[in-house]
Amino acid sequence: MEELSAKDKELIRGSWESLGKNKVPHGVIMFSRLFELDPALLSLFRYSTNCDTTQDCVSSPEFLEHVTKVMLVIDAAVSHLDDLPSLEDFLLNLGRKHQAVGVSTQSFAVVGEALLYMLQRSLGQAYTAPLRQAWLSMYGVVVAAMSRGWAENGEDKAD
Ligand code: HEM
């Protein structure tokens, strides 16, 4: 995994400043894209109202809470850019929890694509190749830790 440079951090912080203030609408753009990319993921959200369609999902308060949770994890990563390893234990545990609810590690990568789509749509001209790369690097660190937790949980279950 590439180290994040000072420039990467500046690009991430600058772009998140306004997006992070409107987490739910931006998170909804991201998850709507995620379900376009992989509609099978809808079935993993089993709340009081089942997510049969994207519309069902985004009308569900519990689903919107998950959207907020995801955006808060991104927010935490942006606030800890100088010390991402401090999030390791939290992310390992988060990976374990996702293994338990049936999310595959490949799906974390699809979330990454959906994140980039949301950034592109929301930032317009400010979405540049270096900015895309900076976000990919940061999200890559988050997913690497979640995937390690996911794999550990899988091993426990195989025992
Ligand atoms: C393929 C995509 C994903 C699916 C299908 C998925 C599904 C779920 C489900 C079913 C839960 C348990 C119910 C709930 O709390 O709403 C959950 C919890 C959670 N998810 Fe996800 N998730 C996905 C990706 C992510 C990503 C990428 C993040 C953060 C970067 C994330 C952050 C969280 C958090 C913080 C919780 C709460 C964990 C806890 O209870 O301590 N999710 N997710």
Side-chain angles (χ1 to χ4, degrees):
M1 186 56 54
E2 274 177 53
E3 277 284 302
L4 277 103
S5 66
K7 183 69 191 165
D8 289 336
K9 293 177 192 175
E10 188 188 317
L11 286 168
I12 294 170
R13 289 186 183 119
S15 52
W16 188 248
E17 206 176 309
S18 69
L19 299 188
K21 291 192 183 110
N22 280 303
K23 293 187 179 60
V24 173
H26 289 108
V28 166
I29 296 175
M30 187 169 138
F31 271 85
S32 304
R33 180 64 179 158
L34 179 72
F35 297 140
E36 271 174 21
L37 294 169
D38 187 355
L41 291 175
L42 279 164
S43 67
L44 295 176
F45 292 98
R46 293 191 204 93
Y47 299 125
S48 46
T49 326
N50 274 347
C51 282
D52 291 331
T53 64
T54 301
Q55 199 46 50
D56 292 342
C57 251
V58 297
S59 320
S60 149
E62 296 131 305
F63 175 76
L64 293 176
E65 265 177 48
H66 181 267
V67 167
T68 305
K69 290 176 196 172
V70 175
M71 296 303 266
L72 286 172
V73 175
I74 297 174
D75 199 59
V78 175
S79 334
H80 290 80
L81 279 175
D82 289 325
D83 188 16
L84 285 173
S86 66
L87 299 178
E88 175 86 4
D89 286 349
F90 170 79
L91 294 172
L92 285 173
N93 196 32
L94 194 56
R96 277 182 212 116
K97 288 190 173 162
H98 285 81
Q99 197 276 343
V101 293
V103 181
S104 72
T105 50
Q106 289 92 314
S107 297
F108 296 150
V110 190
V111 176
E113 275 185 59
L115 169 66
L116 293 178
Y117 172 85
M118 180 277 283
L119 291 170
Q120 181 169 23
R121 255 198 61 178
S122 309
L123 298 171
Q125 300 264 320
Y127 183 85
T128 58
L131 179 128
R132 176 181 183 279
Q133 193 49 54
W135 273 94
L136 264 181
S137 301
M138 187 194 85
Y139 184 72
V141 172
V142 170
V143 166
M146 285 178 74
S147 300
R148 280 194 295 278
W150 189 103
E152 283 170 17
N153 207 38
E155 281 165 19
D156 292 346
K157 290 209 164 163
D159 282 344

